[in-house]
């Protein structure tokens, strides 16, 4: 196979639509498929769509399988179609994993939903917003809110730590001052002891014995002091635990267990979502059917060429008030077809209402499910914490009993050692004993003060280290808040941008196409209240306005029904272009496909193609020979599909 020129696309088609087998090479820029009706131009566009990832194509009527091969940017993409009973299965490796955006806003064939939405008076906002996964946005919003709340809680805690720092530093200064005073006091007592020792005529052995006895007393008192401090700490902890236990018991006792199972709600939500997806498919199919039949009734859906076969099932044969049905071939009254169309419109409207009801019920059940799970988590956390607190209380009470027993034994030890020290017979003993006792008390106080200073220093250091993280947490909170704002406003921004794009391009296109007495076509974005399920919700809608001028120059507002077929087609194309730009479809697929432009005159078709060409790398348009003749020779023309 010959190598493709740079920026060219080769499309090989087999058994798609009306094509037996064909190979077409498209250059970048504008490619015009020119020919009369029944020359497989639309079939080729559908085959190209299939290779790009769409499922909006069909197998040739007498074929069991077909295929499309697409060579683009040095890569080859293959798609196969196989008949399976009444359905066609798609397989292979197409260009797009998800063709939704392209189907809506790039593949602008006759039955394109965005293009037809204007003529049918559909909800334009729903078309624009369909590719947006609002459920995923809502889930991300909830996650961001939780993350932001956790960050704010931590920042508030750190703010409290900073508020306590001056008090801690003041406590440290007071404790250090008290420590220094105690050290001075101890130094004075030791000087008195030295003076007393100098005047006591006693053997070195007796002095050492007396000093050893006093040291034992000091050691025992120090151990007793530590035990009493530990006991005080444990009693304080016990009080806090008992208070927490009472609060948790009250929380658990007063909490109302959810009366519904969130898992059962999940099943109901999944069921509703499946029903909503089925309704989406039904609504889309009904829209296509209604649009096709409206065009057939108006006589614009099919061109009858002299060489067209007389048994063409899609040919419109009109004679007076009777029409040959294009689906069954029998003669029916035109009024009967109109009545059937009215019933189809009513059915579509009913399905739209049902979808809105289901959407509201999904939101209500999702909120209820979230609330139930949150309530269950809170109860479970309270029960788990209560169990943990009760275990801690039991453990603390046991430690208190042990400490009380140790303190009682240590007091007896202190008394025994003091009695042993007092039994030593040394001249000046009473005064020395008193000084040693005083020194012992001061030493214990110094040890306690030193421990307090160390504890305060450690707490200050810990808080200062934590405060260093605060700026990082604030920056993170700012990012999360910005993300939350972005998520909350994303839908609004997309809607606003879609309206701006449509209004801007519509104004430009109307100016280029120069329609008589058509001054302006524009979309107004406004909020309305409506009921979905059991609650009222605020929804945005897009209202399409048409402004005309009367012969005397007076401006007045008209309706879509009064637009000419050419004006409706152009409006639908511009609406699709707005969606193409808003969703950056050019980043996903480099094609825009145009078909069924016969309602627009040749000169205006040329201007429309020229306007659209700047928005895609490849613009492929299927045109009748007379319409194609109005386009410049610089474009690439394909006159035969084979």
């Amino acid at each position: 196979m010959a190598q493709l020129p740079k920026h060219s696309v080769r499309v090989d088609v087999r058994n798609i639509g009306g094509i037996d087998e064909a190979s077409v090479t498209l250059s970048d820029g504008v490619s015009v498929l020119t020919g009369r009706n029944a020359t497989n131009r639309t079939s080729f566009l559908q085959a190209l769509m299939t290779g790009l990832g769409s499922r909006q194509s069909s197998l040739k009527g007498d074929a069991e399988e077909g295929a499309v091969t697409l060579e683009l940017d040095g890569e080859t993409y293959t798609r196969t179609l196989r008949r399976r009973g009444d359905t066609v299965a798609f397989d292979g490796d197409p260009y797009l994993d998800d063709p939704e955006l392209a189907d809506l806003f790039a593949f602008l064939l006759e039955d394109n939903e965005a293009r037809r939405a204007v003529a049918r008076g559909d909800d334009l906002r729903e078309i624009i917003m369909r590719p947006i996964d609002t459920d995923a946005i809502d889930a991300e919003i909830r996650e961001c809110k939780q993350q932001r709340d956790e960050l704010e809680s931590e920042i508030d805690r750190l703010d409290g730590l900073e508020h306590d720092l001056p008090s801690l530093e003041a406590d440290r200064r007071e404790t250090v001052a008290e420590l220094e005073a105690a050290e001075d006091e101890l130094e004075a007592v030791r000087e008195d002891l030295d003076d007393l020792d100098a005047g006591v005529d006693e053997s070195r052995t007796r002095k050492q014995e007396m000093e050893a006895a006093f040291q034992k007393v000091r050691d025992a008192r120090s151990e007793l002091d530590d035990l009493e401090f530990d006991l005080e700490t444990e009693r304080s902890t016990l009080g806090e635990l008992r208070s927490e236990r009472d609060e948790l018991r009250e929380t658990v006792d007063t909490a109302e267990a959810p009366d519904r199972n969130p898992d059962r709600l999940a099943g109901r939500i999944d069921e509703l979502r499946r029903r909503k997806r089925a309704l989406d498919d039904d609504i889309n199919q009904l829209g296509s059917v209604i649009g096709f039949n409206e065009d057939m009734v108006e006589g614009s859906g099919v061109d009858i060429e002299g060489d067209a076969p007389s048994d063409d099932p899609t040919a419109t044969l009109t004679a007076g008030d009777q029409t040959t049905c294009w689906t069954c071939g029998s003669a029916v009254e035109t009024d009967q077809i109109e009545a059937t169309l009215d019933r189809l419109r009513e059915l579509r409207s009913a399905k739209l209402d049902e979808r809105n009801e289901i959407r509201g019920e999904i939101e209500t059940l999702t909120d209820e499910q979230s609330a139930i799970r949150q309530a269950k988590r809170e109860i479970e956390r309270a029960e788990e914490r209560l169990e943990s607190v009760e275990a801690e209380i039991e453990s603390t009470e046991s430690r208190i009993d042990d400490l009380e027993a140790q303190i009682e034994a240590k007091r007896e030890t202190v008394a025994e050692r003091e009695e042993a020290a007092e039994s030593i017979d040394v001249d000046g003993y009473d005064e020395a004993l008193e000084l040693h006792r005083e020194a012992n008390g001061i030493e214990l106080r110094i040890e306690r003060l030193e421990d307090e200073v160390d504890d305060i220093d450690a707490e200050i250091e810990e808080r200062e280290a934590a405060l260093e993280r605060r700026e990082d947490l604030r920056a993170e909170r700012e990012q999360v808040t910005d993300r939350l704002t972005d998520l909350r406003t994303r839908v609004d921004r997309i809607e606003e941008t879609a309206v701006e794009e449509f209004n801007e391009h519509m104004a430009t296109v109307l100016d280029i196409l120069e329609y008589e007495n058509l001054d302006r076509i524009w979309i107004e974005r406004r909020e309305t209240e409506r009921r979905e399920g059991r609650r009222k919700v605020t929804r945005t809608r897009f209202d399409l306005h048409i402004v005309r001028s009367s012969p005397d120059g007076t401006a007045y507002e008209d309706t879509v029904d009064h637009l000419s077929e050419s004006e409706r087609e152009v409006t639908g194309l511009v609406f699709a272009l707005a969606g193409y730009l808003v969703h950056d479809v050019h980043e996903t697929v480099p094609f825009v496909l145009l078909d069924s432009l016969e309602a627009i005159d040749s000169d205006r078709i040329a201007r429309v193609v020229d306007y659209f060409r700047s928005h895609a790398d490849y613009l492929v348009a299927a045109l009748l020979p007379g319409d194609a003749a109005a386009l410049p020779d610089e474009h690439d023309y394909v006159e035969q599909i084979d």
Side-chain angles (χ1 to χ4, degrees), residues 74-91:
E75 299 289 338
T76 300
Y77 305 92
T78 301
R79 195 88 183 278
T80 59
L81 289 75
R82 287 184 175 82
R83 198 179 303 282
R84 291 182 181 172
D86 295 333
T87 63
V88 174
F90 290 77
D91 201 356

Side-chain angles (χ1 to χ4, degrees), residues 317 319 321-334 336-337:
L317 305 173
D321 293 333
Q322 283 197 331
T323 297
T324 299
C325 177
W326 41 85
T327 58
C328 67
S330 61
V332 295
E333 296 291 333
T334 305
Q336 186 177 346
I337 294 177

Side-chain angles (χ1 to χ4, degrees), residues 3 106 194 612:
Q3 186 173 2
D194 290 341
F612 271 64

Side-chain angles (χ1 to χ4, degrees), residues 70-111:
L70 187 68
E71 293 182 45
L72 174 62
D73 294 334
E75 299 289 338
T76 300
Y77 305 92
T78 301
R79 195 88 183 278
T80 59
L81 289 75
R82 287 184 175 82
R83 198 179 303 282
R84 291 182 181 172
D86 295 333
T87 63
V88 174
F90 290 77
D91 201 356
D93 181 26
Y95 182 82
L96 298 172
D97 293 328
D98 183 359
E100 182 177 28
L101 283 171
D103 278 335
L104 277 174
F105 305 119
F107 302 156
L108 307 183
L109 276 58
E110 182 180 17
D111 59 353

Side-chain angles (χ1 to χ4, degrees), residues 13 21 27 47 59 246 258 335 346 411 495 517 552 568:
V13 185
E21 195 161 352
S27 300
L59 270 173
D246 294 341
D335 291 344
E346 290 173 1
R411 283 175 178 164
E495 291 176 353
N517 86 330
D552 63 0
R568 284 203 305 268

